[in-house]
Amino acid sequence: MAEGLGSGLQNRVQQFESAWYLNLQGKIFFMAKLFRTKDTAAMLEEAARTDGGLKRTLTVTNLVTLGIGAIVGTGIFVLTGHAAADHAGPALTISFLISALGCVLAGLCYAEFAAMIPVSGSVYSYSYATMGEFLAWFIGWDLILEYLFACSTVAVGWSGYLQNLLEGIGVVLPQSLQCSLFDHKIVNGETVHGLINFPAVCVVAIVTAFLFSSVKQSAWVNNVIVVIKVCVILLFIGFGLSYINMDNWFPYIPERIIDESGHSHFGWSGIFRGAAVVFFAYIGFDALSTTAQETRNPQRDMPRGILFSLAICALLYVAVTAVLTGIIHYSNLHVDAPIALAIDSVGEGLMWLGPFIKLGALAGLSSVILVMMLGQSRIYYAISSDGLLPGALSRVHHRSGVPRNATILASIATGTIAGLLPLTVLGELVSIGTLMAFTIVCISIIVLRKTQPALKRPFKVPLVPFVPLLGAAICLLQMVSLPWNTWVRLFIWTAVGIILYFSYGFWHSKLRKKDQDEE
């Protein structure tokens, strides 16, 4: 009897061990599926296809102007005022330099990836080749956050400049159409809430019409707009120098204060928070990498386009910020159209420049929306091409070579958010999404150097791993500087993305289906 009990117990132990082993095997197999990588050679072969895919038409000049078109706009025309008034004061110039340093380091990493893997999808595609499908989806979802809210932020800023221009000629929109339901304006000392930001929705619709044409035509429109806005910015810098009041620069770093809600402002912590807020203004070079599959010679031209546009724009940002905070005290810059306010505050001296500045700002912000929506639609296209989003988003129009369904989705999503959410919430969400994307790109360079050292690299990041690690550290430091509620919104957005992946993307993944066929 004792032997029977011992034998039964031994069988149960063996059954338990067998079930535990099978369960462990299943978990390992499932995790392996989540982190399967896309073959780099297959990605390059797919990108080289000319039948029914994106058309290679962009030159290095187009890339530089697209970069300037995306970068120069929001940081100068919109967020400069809010960041100076709320966070850094005149020391916002330091904030821009900190952001520029992080962007140069991340830009070098983007340049290596864009030259090595010249496909649409930006860091999403790079992550798929280095870190696996789940992390690629995670960063792709983060890129959607980045481009979607970037477009919406700029559209709200565009609306502020248009209303300022219209008010100058005596045209005032109904209060319900001036700002979003969750935003407000101060009119004659009274707080007024709106219903929808109608001008912001309108500009998104207009830009969508341009994007329906070929990417070459969209780039031509952008080139014209870039020339206009750079000339206007140089006029503001040149003539604004004469109206700088040096007293407005002192104290250069305002003393740190804590408001009634417990939020910190100014001081060095304010400088870093200001850097985090304005960081997303540099994402033009990030958007460039989404057009690699539409560039004639991406291995040579993508690094040049990224780094040249970034250097030009960083210089313009610092110069405009210095002049702006010199003309008008930073405490008065909590507006959506700070340069227009500075021009108006001078009076007769620069009155003639006011309309040009406002028109230049409208044109400049329009080009930012155009490039960001272009990048957003290409992210949808790339993710859909891998099966993680519905296949309709990767269909390309046979004549224009434009993914129209992806463009329509970008338009609807951007217009809805721009019409309903306030500028401050949008700006901080874009910043944290951008910083996370840059961090992952920097880390991915180190990973790919170790895992695939034999890959052809037309452009190489110098001093690896020092440069990528420093870039990632600067980005993480700025992420930590953002308010906690921005992190909460990021976690909510991420949770929605994870649910979407496991309910749709995982089961429709083309890489998963390919593995099943091979098995």
Side-chain angles (χ1 to χ4, degrees), residues 231-240 339 343-344 347-360:
C231 289
V232 167
I233 288 168
L234 292 176
L235 283 174
F236 173 73
I237 294 171
F239 287 98
I339 292 182
I343 292 293
D344 293 341
E348 295 293 332
L350 289 181
M351 190 66 69
W352 63 273
L353 186 57
F356 292 102
I357 291 291
K358 293 165 188 176
L359 287 172

mmCIF file with all atom_site columns, all heavy atoms in Angstrom, residues 231-240 339 343-344 347-360:
data_model
loop_
_atom_site.group_PDB
_atom_site.id
_atom_site.type_symbol
_atom_site.label_atom_id
_atom_site.label_alt_id
_atom_site.label_comp_id
_atom_site.label_asym_id
_atom_site.label_entity_id
_atom_site.label_seq_id
_atom_site.pdbx_PDB_ins_code
_atom_site.Cartn_x
_atom_site.Cartn_y
_atom_site.Cartn_z
_atom_site.occupancy
_atom_site.B_iso_or_equiv
_atom_site.pdbx_formal_charge
_atom_site.auth_seq_id
_atom_site.auth_comp_id
_atom_site.auth_asym_id
_atom_site.auth_atom_id
_atom_site.pdbx_PDB_model_num
ATOM 1   N N   . CYS A 1 231 ? 12.779 84.534  -44.533 1.00 0.00 ? 231 CYS A N   1
ATOM 2   C CA  . CYS A 1 231 ? 12.966 85.976  -44.781 1.00 0.00 ? 231 CYS A CA  1
ATOM 3   C C   . CYS A 1 231 ? 12.282 86.805  -43.693 1.00 0.00 ? 231 CYS A C   1
ATOM 4   O O   . CYS A 1 231 ? 12.846 87.790  -43.199 1.00 0.00 ? 231 CYS A O   1
ATOM 5   C CB  . CYS A 1 231 ? 12.409 86.350  -46.154 1.00 0.00 ? 231 CYS A CB  1
ATOM 6   S SG  . CYS A 1 231 ? 13.387 85.736  -47.540 1.00 0.00 ? 231 CYS A SG  1
ATOM 7   N N   . VAL A 1 232 ? 11.078 86.415  -43.312 1.00 0.00 ? 232 VAL A N   1
ATOM 8   C CA  . VAL A 1 232 ? 10.340 87.143  -42.276 1.00 0.00 ? 232 VAL A CA  1
ATOM 9   C C   . VAL A 1 232 ? 11.068 87.051  -40.936 1.00 0.00 ? 232 VAL A C   1
ATOM 10  O O   . VAL A 1 232 ? 11.179 88.048  -40.193 1.00 0.00 ? 232 VAL A O   1
ATOM 11  C CB  . VAL A 1 232 ? 8.906  86.581  -42.160 1.00 0.00 ? 232 VAL A CB  1
ATOM 12  C CG1 . VAL A 1 232 ? 8.229  87.082  -40.891 1.00 0.00 ? 232 VAL A CG1 1
ATOM 13  C CG2 . VAL A 1 232 ? 8.082  86.967  -43.382 1.00 0.00 ? 232 VAL A CG2 1
ATOM 14  N N   . ILE A 1 233 ? 11.588 85.879  -40.604 1.00 0.00 ? 233 ILE A N   1
ATOM 15  C CA  . ILE A 1 233 ? 12.308 85.698  -39.338 1.00 0.00 ? 233 ILE A CA  1
ATOM 16  C C   . ILE A 1 233 ? 13.567 86.565  -39.313 1.00 0.00 ? 233 ILE A C   1
ATOM 17  O O   . ILE A 1 233 ? 13.885 87.207  -38.294 1.00 0.00 ? 233 ILE A O   1
ATOM 18  C CB  . ILE A 1 233 ? 12.654 84.215  -39.133 1.00 0.00 ? 233 ILE A CB  1
ATOM 19  C CG1 . ILE A 1 233 ? 11.391 83.426  -38.812 1.00 0.00 ? 233 ILE A CG1 1
ATOM 20  C CG2 . ILE A 1 233 ? 13.669 84.036  -38.003 1.00 0.00 ? 233 ILE A CG2 1
ATOM 21  C CD1 . ILE A 1 233 ? 11.567 81.930  -38.864 1.00 0.00 ? 233 ILE A CD1 1
ATOM 22  N N   . LEU A 1 234 ? 14.294 86.593  -40.418 1.00 0.00 ? 234 LEU A N   1
ATOM 23  C CA  . LEU A 1 234 ? 15.503 87.415  -40.486 1.00 0.00 ? 234 LEU A CA  1
ATOM 24  C C   . LEU A 1 234 ? 15.163 88.902  -40.375 1.00 0.00 ? 234 LEU A C   1
ATOM 25  O O   . LEU A 1 234 ? 15.919 89.677  -39.763 1.00 0.00 ? 234 LEU A O   1
ATOM 26  C CB  . LEU A 1 234 ? 16.254 87.141  -41.792 1.00 0.00 ? 234 LEU A CB  1
ATOM 27  C CG  . LEU A 1 234 ? 16.876 85.733  -41.908 1.00 0.00 ? 234 LEU A CG  1
ATOM 28  C CD1 . LEU A 1 234 ? 17.509 85.541  -43.270 1.00 0.00 ? 234 LEU A CD1 1
ATOM 29  C CD2 . LEU A 1 234 ? 17.896 85.498  -40.801 1.00 0.00 ? 234 LEU A CD2 1
ATOM 30  N N   . LEU A 1 235 ? 14.011 89.305  -40.929 1.00 0.00 ? 235 LEU A N   1
ATOM 31  C CA  . LEU A 1 235 ? 13.571 90.694  -40.775 1.00 0.00 ? 235 LEU A CA  1
ATOM 32  C C   . LEU A 1 235 ? 13.295 91.004  -39.304 1.00 0.00 ? 235 LEU A C   1
ATOM 33  O O   . LEU A 1 235 ? 13.676 92.074  -38.797 1.00 0.00 ? 235 LEU A O   1
ATOM 34  C CB  . LEU A 1 235 ? 12.303 90.942  -41.602 1.00 0.00 ? 235 LEU A CB  1
ATOM 35  C CG  . LEU A 1 235 ? 12.470 91.116  -43.112 1.00 0.00 ? 235 LEU A CG  1
ATOM 36  C CD1 . LEU A 1 235 ? 11.104 91.198  -43.784 1.00 0.00 ? 235 LEU A CD1 1
ATOM 37  C CD2 . LEU A 1 235 ? 13.296 92.373  -43.421 1.00 0.00 ? 235 LEU A CD2 1
ATOM 38  N N   . PHE A 1 236 ? 12.635 90.099  -38.601 1.00 0.00 ? 236 PHE A N   1
ATOM 39  C CA  . PHE A 1 236 ? 12.338 90.313  -37.184 1.00 0.00 ? 236 PHE A CA  1
ATOM 40  C C   . PHE A 1 236 ? 13.616 90.425  -36.365 1.00 0.00 ? 236 PHE A C   1
ATOM 41  O O   . PHE A 1 236 ? 13.747 91.308  -35.514 1.00 0.00 ? 236 PHE A O   1
ATOM 42  C CB  . PHE A 1 236 ? 11.475 89.165  -36.653 1.00 0.00 ? 236 PHE A CB  1
ATOM 43  C CG  . PHE A 1 236 ? 11.258 89.222  -35.168 1.00 0.00 ? 236 PHE A CG  1
ATOM 44  C CD1 . PHE A 1 236 ? 10.417 90.160  -34.609 1.00 0.00 ? 236 PHE A CD1 1
ATOM 45  C CD2 . PHE A 1 236 ? 11.906 88.325  -34.325 1.00 0.00 ? 236 PHE A CD2 1
ATOM 46  C CE1 . PHE A 1 236 ? 10.220 90.222  -33.228 1.00 0.00 ? 236 PHE A CE1 1
ATOM 47  C CE2 . PHE A 1 236 ? 11.717 88.370  -32.956 1.00 0.00 ? 236 PHE A CE2 1
ATOM 48  C CZ  . PHE A 1 236 ? 10.871 89.323  -32.410 1.00 0.00 ? 236 PHE A CZ  1
ATOM 49  N N   . ILE A 1 237 ? 14.573 89.529  -36.632 1.00 0.00 ? 237 ILE A N   1
ATOM 50  C CA  . ILE A 1 237 ? 15.838 89.568  -35.895 1.00 0.00 ? 237 ILE A CA  1
ATOM 51  C C   . ILE A 1 237 ? 16.581 90.867  -36.186 1.00 0.00 ? 237 ILE A C   1
ATOM 52  O O   . ILE A 1 237 ? 17.046 91.569  -35.266 1.00 0.00 ? 237 ILE A O   1
ATOM 53  C CB  . ILE A 1 237 ? 16.720 88.355  -36.259 1.00 0.00 ? 237 ILE A CB  1
ATOM 54  C CG1 . ILE A 1 237 ? 16.055 87.053  -35.779 1.00 0.00 ? 237 ILE A CG1 1
ATOM 55  C CG2 . ILE A 1 237 ? 18.112 88.491  -35.632 1.00 0.00 ? 237 ILE A CG2 1
ATOM 56  C CD1 . ILE A 1 237 ? 16.755 85.787  -36.278 1.00 0.00 ? 237 ILE A CD1 1
ATOM 57  N N   . GLY A 1 238 ? 16.685 91.219  -37.467 1.00 0.00 ? 238 GLY A N   1
ATOM 58  C CA  . GLY A 1 238 ? 17.463 92.400  -37.864 1.00 0.00 ? 238 GLY A CA  1
ATOM 59  C C   . GLY A 1 238 ? 16.899 93.697  -37.323 1.00 0.00 ? 238 GLY A C   1
ATOM 60  O O   . GLY A 1 238 ? 17.622 94.502  -36.716 1.00 0.00 ? 238 GLY A O   1
ATOM 61  N N   . PHE A 1 239 ? 15.598 93.923  -37.516 1.00 0.00 ? 239 PHE A N   1
ATOM 62  C CA  . PHE A 1 239 ? 14.988 95.174  -37.071 1.00 0.00 ? 239 PHE A CA  1
ATOM 63  C C   . PHE A 1 239 ? 14.663 95.147  -35.582 1.00 0.00 ? 239 PHE A C   1
ATOM 64  O O   . PHE A 1 239 ? 14.638 96.202  -34.932 1.00 0.00 ? 239 PHE A O   1
ATOM 65  C CB  . PHE A 1 239 ? 13.714 95.452  -37.881 1.00 0.00 ? 239 PHE A CB  1
ATOM 66  C CG  . PHE A 1 239 ? 13.977 95.874  -39.297 1.00 0.00 ? 239 PHE A CG  1
ATOM 67  C CD1 . PHE A 1 239 ? 13.912 94.969  -40.335 1.00 0.00 ? 239 PHE A CD1 1
ATOM 68  C CD2 . PHE A 1 239 ? 14.320 97.187  -39.596 1.00 0.00 ? 239 PHE A CD2 1
ATOM 69  C CE1 . PHE A 1 239 ? 14.158 95.339  -41.637 1.00 0.00 ? 239 PHE A CE1 1
ATOM 70  C CE2 . PHE A 1 239 ? 14.576 97.583  -40.907 1.00 0.00 ? 239 PHE A CE2 1
ATOM 71  C CZ  . PHE A 1 239 ? 14.501 96.660  -41.931 1.00 0.00 ? 239 PHE A CZ  1
ATOM 72  N N   . GLY A 1 240 ? 14.425 93.953  -35.022 1.00 0.00 ? 240 GLY A N   1
ATOM 73  C CA  . GLY A 1 240 ? 14.104 93.863  -33.596 1.00 0.00 ? 240 GLY A CA  1
ATOM 74  C C   . GLY A 1 240 ? 15.273 94.185  -32.694 1.00 0.00 ? 240 GLY A C   1
ATOM 75  O O   . GLY A 1 240 ? 15.084 94.612  -31.542 1.00 0.00 ? 240 GLY A O   1
ATOM 76  N N   . ILE A 1 339 ? 5.414  86.504  -31.068 1.00 0.00 ? 339 ILE A N   1
ATOM 77  C CA  . ILE A 1 339 ? 6.142  87.449  -31.926 1.00 0.00 ? 339 ILE A CA  1
ATOM 78  C C   . ILE A 1 339 ? 5.215  88.568  -32.375 1.00 0.00 ? 339 ILE A C   1
ATOM 79  O O   . ILE A 1 339 ? 5.607  89.750  -32.407 1.00 0.00 ? 339 ILE A O   1
ATOM 80  C CB  . ILE A 1 339 ? 6.764  86.715  -33.136 1.00 0.00 ? 339 ILE A CB  1
ATOM 81  C CG1 . ILE A 1 339 ? 7.877  85.783  -32.656 1.00 0.00 ? 339 ILE A CG1 1
ATOM 82  C CG2 . ILE A 1 339 ? 7.316  87.707  -34.149 1.00 0.00 ? 339 ILE A CG2 1
ATOM 83  C CD1 . ILE A 1 339 ? 8.591  85.045  -33.759 1.00 0.00 ? 339 ILE A CD1 1
ATOM 84  N N   . ILE A 1 343 ? 5.828  92.606  -31.644 1.00 0.00 ? 343 ILE A N   1
ATOM 85  C CA  . ILE A 1 343 ? 5.779  93.634  -32.695 1.00 0.00 ? 343 ILE A CA  1
ATOM 86  C C   . ILE A 1 343 ? 4.773  94.726  -32.323 1.00 0.00 ? 343 ILE A C   1
ATOM 87  O O   . ILE A 1 343 ? 5.054  95.924  -32.429 1.00 0.00 ? 343 ILE A O   1
ATOM 88  C CB  . ILE A 1 343 ? 5.398  93.003  -34.041 1.00 0.00 ? 343 ILE A CB  1
ATOM 89  C CG1 . ILE A 1 343 ? 6.514  92.079  -34.544 1.00 0.00 ? 343 ILE A CG1 1
ATOM 90  C CG2 . ILE A 1 343 ? 5.082  94.075  -35.076 1.00 0.00 ? 343 ILE A CG2 1
ATOM 91  C CD1 . ILE A 1 343 ? 7.785  92.779  -34.918 1.00 0.00 ? 343 ILE A CD1 1
ATOM 92  N N   . ASP A 1 344 ? 3.600  94.309  -31.857 1.00 0.00 ? 344 ASP A N   1
ATOM 93  C CA  . ASP A 1 344 ? 2.559  95.277  -31.493 1.00 0.00 ? 344 ASP A CA  1
ATOM 94  C C   . ASP A 1 344 ? 2.982  96.131  -30.304 1.00 0.00 ? 344 ASP A C   1
ATOM 95  O O   . ASP A 1 344 ? 2.614  97.308  -30.205 1.00 0.00 ? 344 ASP A O   1
ATOM 96  C CB  . ASP A 1 344 ? 1.247  94.549  -31.164 1.00 0.00 ? 344 ASP A CB  1
ATOM 97  C CG  . ASP A 1 344 ? 0.631  93.870  -32.388 1.00 0.00 ? 344 ASP A CG  1
ATOM 98  O OD1 . ASP A 1 344 ? 1.004  94.261  -33.523 1.00 0.00 ? 344 ASP A OD1 1
ATOM 99  O OD2 . ASP A 1 344 ? -0.199 92.959  -32.213 1.00 0.00 ? 344 ASP A OD2 1
ATOM 100 N N   . GLY A 1 347 ? 5.038  99.428  -31.046 1.00 0.00 ? 347 GLY A N   1
ATOM 101 C CA  . GLY A 1 347 ? 4.305  100.608 -31.513 1.00 0.00 ? 347 GLY A CA  1
ATOM 102 C C   . GLY A 1 347 ? 4.655  100.976 -32.950 1.00 0.00 ? 347 GLY A C   1
ATOM 103 O O   . GLY A 1 347 ? 4.882  100.100 -33.790 1.00 0.00 ? 347 GLY A O   1
ATOM 104 N N   . GLU A 1 348 ? 4.733  102.273 -33.223 1.00 0.00 ? 348 GLU A N   1
ATOM 105 C CA  . GLU A 1 348 ? 4.911  102.754 -34.591 1.00 0.00 ? 348 GLU A CA  1
ATOM 106 C C   . GLU A 1 348 ? 6.203  102.262 -35.234 1.00 0.00 ? 348 GLU A C   1
ATOM 107 O O   . GLU A 1 348 ? 6.267  102.078 -36.449 1.00 0.00 ? 348 GLU A O   1
ATOM 108 C CB  . GLU A 1 348 ? 4.901  104.292 -34.604 1.00 0.00 ? 348 GLU A CB  1
ATOM 109 C CG  . GLU A 1 348 ? 3.577  104.906 -34.185 1.00 0.00 ? 348 GLU A CG  1
ATOM 110 C CD  . GLU A 1 348 ? 2.480  104.616 -35.202 1.00 0.00 ? 348 GLU A CD  1
ATOM 111 O OE1 . GLU A 1 348 ? 2.808  104.437 -36.395 1.00 0.00 ? 348 GLU A OE1 1
ATOM 112 O OE2 . GLU A 1 348 ? 1.303  104.551 -34.801 1.00 0.00 ? 348 GLU A OE2 1
ATOM 113 N N   . GLY A 1 349 ? 7.236  102.063 -34.436 1.00 0.00 ? 349 GLY A N   1
ATOM 114 C CA  . GLY A 1 349 ? 8.541  101.715 -34.986 1.00 0.00 ? 349 GLY A CA  1
ATOM 115 C C   . GLY A 1 349 ? 8.538  100.473 -35.852 1.00 0.00 ? 349 GLY A C   1
ATOM 116 O O   . GLY A 1 349 ? 9.203  100.429 -36.899 1.00 0.00 ? 349 GLY A O   1
ATOM 117 N N   . LEU A 1 350 ? 7.817  99.441  -35.422 1.00 0.00 ? 350 LEU A N   1
ATOM 118 C CA  . LEU A 1 350 ? 7.775  98.199  -36.198 1.00 0.00 ? 350 LEU A CA  1
ATOM 119 C C   . LEU A 1 350 ? 6.369  97.848  -36.667 1.00 0.00 ? 350 LEU A C   1
ATOM 120 O O   . LEU A 1 350 ? 6.097  96.701  -37.054 1.00 0.00 ? 350 LEU A O   1
ATOM 121 C CB  . LEU A 1 350 ? 8.323  97.032  -35.354 1.00 0.00 ? 350 LEU A CB  1
ATOM 122 C CG  . LEU A 1 350 ? 9.831  97.022  -35.075 1.00 0.00 ? 350 LEU A CG  1
ATOM 123 C CD1 . LEU A 1 350 ? 10.209 95.793  -34.248 1.00 0.00 ? 350 LEU A CD1 1
ATOM 124 C CD2 . LEU A 1 350 ? 10.624 97.015  -36.384 1.00 0.00 ? 350 LEU A CD2 1
ATOM 125 N N   . MET A 1 351 ? 5.499  98.840  -36.666 1.00 0.00 ? 351 MET A N   1
ATOM 126 C CA  . MET A 1 351 ? 4.116  98.592  -37.062 1.00 0.00 ? 351 MET A CA  1
ATOM 127 C C   . MET A 1 351 ? 4.037  98.033  -38.485 1.00 0.00 ? 351 MET A C   1
ATOM 128 O O   . MET A 1 351 ? 3.237  97.158  -38.794 1.00 0.00 ? 351 MET A O   1
ATOM 129 C CB  . MET A 1 351 ? 3.289  99.866  -36.950 1.00 0.00 ? 351 MET A CB  1
ATOM 130 C CG  . MET A 1 351 ? 1.792  99.649  -37.114 1.00 0.00 ? 351 MET A CG  1
ATOM 131 S SD  . MET A 1 351 ? 1.092  98.672  -35.760 1.00 0.00 ? 351 MET A SD  1
ATOM 132 C CE  . MET A 1 351 ? 1.244  99.824  -34.401 1.00 0.00 ? 351 MET A CE  1
ATOM 133 N N   . TRP A 1 352 ? 4.905  98.559  -39.370 1.00 0.00 ? 352 TRP A N   1
ATOM 134 C CA  . TRP A 1 352 ? 4.901  98.104  -40.763 1.00 0.00 ? 352 TRP A CA  1
ATOM 135 C C   . TRP A 1 352 ? 5.277  96.631  -40.896 1.00 0.00 ? 352 TRP A C   1
ATOM 136 O O   . TRP A 1 352 ? 4.867  95.947  -41.851 1.00 0.00 ? 352 TRP A O   1
ATOM 137 C CB  . TRP A 1 352 ? 5.901  98.939  -41.579 1.00 0.00 ? 352 TRP A CB  1
ATOM 138 C CG  . TRP A 1 352 ? 7.333  98.770  -41.119 1.00 0.00 ? 352 TRP A CG  1
ATOM 139 C CD1 . TRP A 1 352 ? 7.975  99.458  -40.146 1.00 0.00 ? 352 TRP A CD1 1
ATOM 140 C CD2 . TRP A 1 352 ? 8.270  97.805  -41.616 1.00 0.00 ? 352 TRP A CD2 1
ATOM 141 N NE1 . TRP A 1 352 ? 9.259  98.999  -39.979 1.00 0.00 ? 352 TRP A NE1 1
ATOM 142 C CE2 . TRP A 1 352 ? 9.467  97.988  -40.881 1.00 0.00 ? 352 TRP A CE2 1
ATOM 143 C CE3 . TRP A 1 352 ? 8.236  96.814  -42.596 1.00 0.00 ? 352 TRP A CE3 1
ATOM 144 C CZ2 . TRP A 1 352 ? 10.601 97.214  -41.113 1.00 0.00 ? 352 TRP A CZ2 1
ATOM 145 C CZ3 . TRP A 1 352 ? 9.362  96.043  -42.824 1.00 0.00 ? 352 TRP A CZ3 1
ATOM 146 C CH2 . TRP A 1 352 ? 10.538 96.261  -42.084 1.00 0.00 ? 352 TRP A CH2 1
ATOM 147 N N   . LEU A 1 353 ? 6.059  96.126  -39.914 1.00 0.00 ? 353 LEU A N   1
ATOM 148 C CA  . LEU A 1 353 ? 6.527  94.748  -39.977 1.00 0.00 ? 353 LEU A CA  1
ATOM 149 C C   . LEU A 1 353 ? 5.480  93.756  -39.462 1.00 0.00 ? 353 LEU A C   1
ATOM 150 O O   . LEU A 1 353 ? 5.524  92.580  -39.811 1.00 0.00 ? 353 LEU A O   1
ATOM 151 C CB  . LEU A 1 353 ? 7.819  94.612  -39.158 1.00 0.00 ? 353 LEU A CB  1
ATOM 152 C CG  . LEU A 1 353 ? 8.568  93.284  -39.207 1.00 0.00 ? 353 LEU A CG  1
ATOM 153 C CD1 . LEU A 1 353 ? 8.933  92.912  -40.638 1.00 0.00 ? 353 LEU A CD1 1
ATOM 154 C CD2 . LEU A 1 353 ? 9.819  93.343  -38.332 1.00 0.00 ? 353 LEU A CD2 1
ATOM 155 N N   . GLY A 1 354 ? 4.522  94.271  -38.687 1.00 0.00 ? 354 GLY A N   1
ATOM 156 C CA  . GLY A 1 354 ? 3.515  93.414  -38.069 1.00 0.00 ? 354 GLY A CA  1
ATOM 157 C C   . GLY A 1 354 ? 2.790  92.490  -39.041 1.00 0.00 ? 354 GLY A C   1
ATOM 158 O O   . GLY A 1 354 ? 2.764  91.265  -38.855 1.00 0.00 ? 354 GLY A O   1
ATOM 159 N N   . PRO A 1 355 ? 2.180  93.047  -40.112 1.00 0.00 ? 355 PRO A N   1
ATOM 160 C CA  . PRO A 1 355 ? 1.461  92.180  -41.052 1.00 0.00 ? 355 PRO A CA  1
ATOM 161 C C   . PRO A 1 355 ? 2.365  91.140  -41.715 1.00 0.00 ? 355 PRO A C   1
ATOM 162 O O   . PRO A 1 355 ? 1.947  89.991  -41.932 1.00 0.00 ? 355 PRO A O   1
ATOM 163 C CB  . PRO A 1 355 ? 0.913  93.168  -42.088 1.00 0.00 ? 355 PRO A CB  1
ATOM 164 C CG  . PRO A 1 355 ? 0.833  94.474  -41.369 1.00 0.00 ? 355 PRO A CG  1
ATOM 165 C CD  . PRO A 1 355 ? 1.989  94.468  -40.423 1.00 0.00 ? 355 PRO A CD  1
ATOM 166 N N   . PHE A 1 356 ? 3.619  91.520  -42.011 1.00 0.00 ? 356 PHE A N   1
ATOM 167 C CA  . PHE A 1 356 ? 4.545  90.560  -42.629 1.00 0.00 ? 356 PHE A CA  1
ATOM 168 C C   . PHE A 1 356 ? 4.876  89.421  -41.664 1.00 0.00 ? 356 PHE A C   1
ATOM 169 O O   . PHE A 1 356 ? 4.962  88.253  -42.061 1.00 0.00 ? 356 PHE A O   1
ATOM 170 C CB  . PHE A 1 356 ? 5.834  91.273  -43.060 1.00 0.00 ? 356 PHE A CB  1
ATOM 171 C CG  . PHE A 1 356 ? 5.653  92.241  -44.191 1.00 0.00 ? 356 PHE A CG  1
ATOM 172 C CD1 . PHE A 1 356 ? 5.585  93.608  -43.953 1.00 0.00 ? 356 PHE A CD1 1
ATOM 173 C CD2 . PHE A 1 356 ? 5.532  91.793  -45.496 1.00 0.00 ? 356 PHE A CD2 1
ATOM 174 C CE1 . PHE A 1 356 ? 5.417  94.502  -44.983 1.00 0.00 ? 356 PHE A CE1 1
ATOM 175 C CE2 . PHE A 1 356 ? 5.362  92.683  -46.546 1.00 0.00 ? 356 PHE A CE2 1
ATOM 176 C CZ  . PHE A 1 356 ? 5.306  94.041  -46.290 1.00 0.00 ? 356 PHE A CZ  1
ATOM 177 N N   . ILE A 1 357 ? 5.081  89.784  -40.383 1.00 0.00 ? 357 ILE A N   1
ATOM 178 C CA  . ILE A 1 357 ? 5.381  88.765  -39.376 1.00 0.00 ? 357 ILE A CA  1
ATOM 179 C C   . ILE A 1 357 ? 4.221  87.791  -39.237 1.00 0.00 ? 357 ILE A C   1
ATOM 180 O O   . ILE A 1 357 ? 4.407  86.567  -39.204 1.00 0.00 ? 357 ILE A O   1
ATOM 181 C CB  . ILE A 1 357 ? 5.690  89.422  -38.008 1.00 0.00 ? 357 ILE A CB  1
ATOM 182 C CG1 . ILE A 1 357 ? 7.020  90.168  -38.067 1.00 0.00 ? 357 ILE A CG1 1
ATOM 183 C CG2 . ILE A 1 357 ? 5.697  88.379  -36.893 1.00 0.00 ? 357 ILE A CG2 1
ATOM 184 C CD1 . ILE A 1 357 ? 8.231  89.273  -38.189 1.00 0.00 ? 357 ILE A CD1 1
ATOM 185 N N   . LYS A 1 358 ? 3.014  88.334  -39.182 1.00 0.00 ? 358 LYS A N   1
ATOM 186 C CA  . LYS A 1 358 ? 1.848  87.481  -38.993 1.00 0.00 ? 358 LYS A CA  1
ATOM 187 C C   . LYS A 1 358 ? 1.591  86.593  -40.212 1.00 0.00 ? 358 LYS A C   1
ATOM 188 O O   . LYS A 1 358 ? 1.277  85.402  -40.072 1.00 0.00 ? 358 LYS A O   1
ATOM 189 C CB  . LYS A 1 358 ? 0.631  88.342  -38.668 1.00 0.00 ? 358 LYS A CB  1
ATOM 190 C CG  . LYS A 1 358 ? 0.755  89.035  -37.312 1.00 0.00 ? 358 LYS A CG  1
ATOM 191 C CD  . LYS A 1 358 ? -0.255 90.154  -37.126 1.00 0.00 ? 358 LYS A CD  1
ATOM 192 C CE  . LYS A 1 358 ? 0.026  90.942  -35.841 1.00 0.00 ? 358 LYS A CE  1
ATOM 193 N NZ  . LYS A 1 358 ? -0.871 92.105  -35.677 1.00 0.00 ? 358 LYS A NZ  1
ATOM 194 N N   . LEU A 1 359 ? 1.766  87.160  -41.409 1.00 0.00 ? 359 LEU A N   1
ATOM 195 C CA  . LEU A 1 359 ? 1.607  86.359  -42.616 1.00 0.00 ? 359 LEU A CA  1
ATOM 196 C C   . LEU A 1 359 ? 2.719  85.312  -42.715 1.00 0.00 ? 359 LEU A C   1
ATOM 197 O O   . LEU A 1 359 ? 2.478  84.166  -43.105 1.00 0.00 ? 359 LEU A O   1
ATOM 198 C CB  . LEU A 1 359 ? 1.615  87.258  -43.852 1.00 0.00 ? 359 LEU A CB  1
ATOM 199 C CG  . LEU A 1 359 ? 0.364  88.118  -44.076 1.00 0.00 ? 359 LEU A CG  1
ATOM 200 C CD1 . LEU A 1 359 ? 0.581  89.106  -45.223 1.00 0.00 ? 359 LEU A CD1 1
ATOM 201 C CD2 . LEU A 1 359 ? -0.848 87.237  -44.359 1.00 0.00 ? 359 LEU A CD2 1
ATOM 202 N N   . GLY A 1 360 ? 3.943  85.720  -42.345 1.00 0.00 ? 360 GLY A N   1
ATOM 203 C CA  . GLY A 1 360 ? 5.057  84.769  -42.351 1.00 0.00 ? 360 GLY A CA  1
ATOM 204 C C   . GLY A 1 360 ? 4.842  83.650  -41.358 1.00 0.00 ? 360 GLY A C   1
ATOM 205 O O   . GLY A 1 360 ? 5.170  82.485  -41.626 1.00 0.00 ? 360 GLY A O   1
#
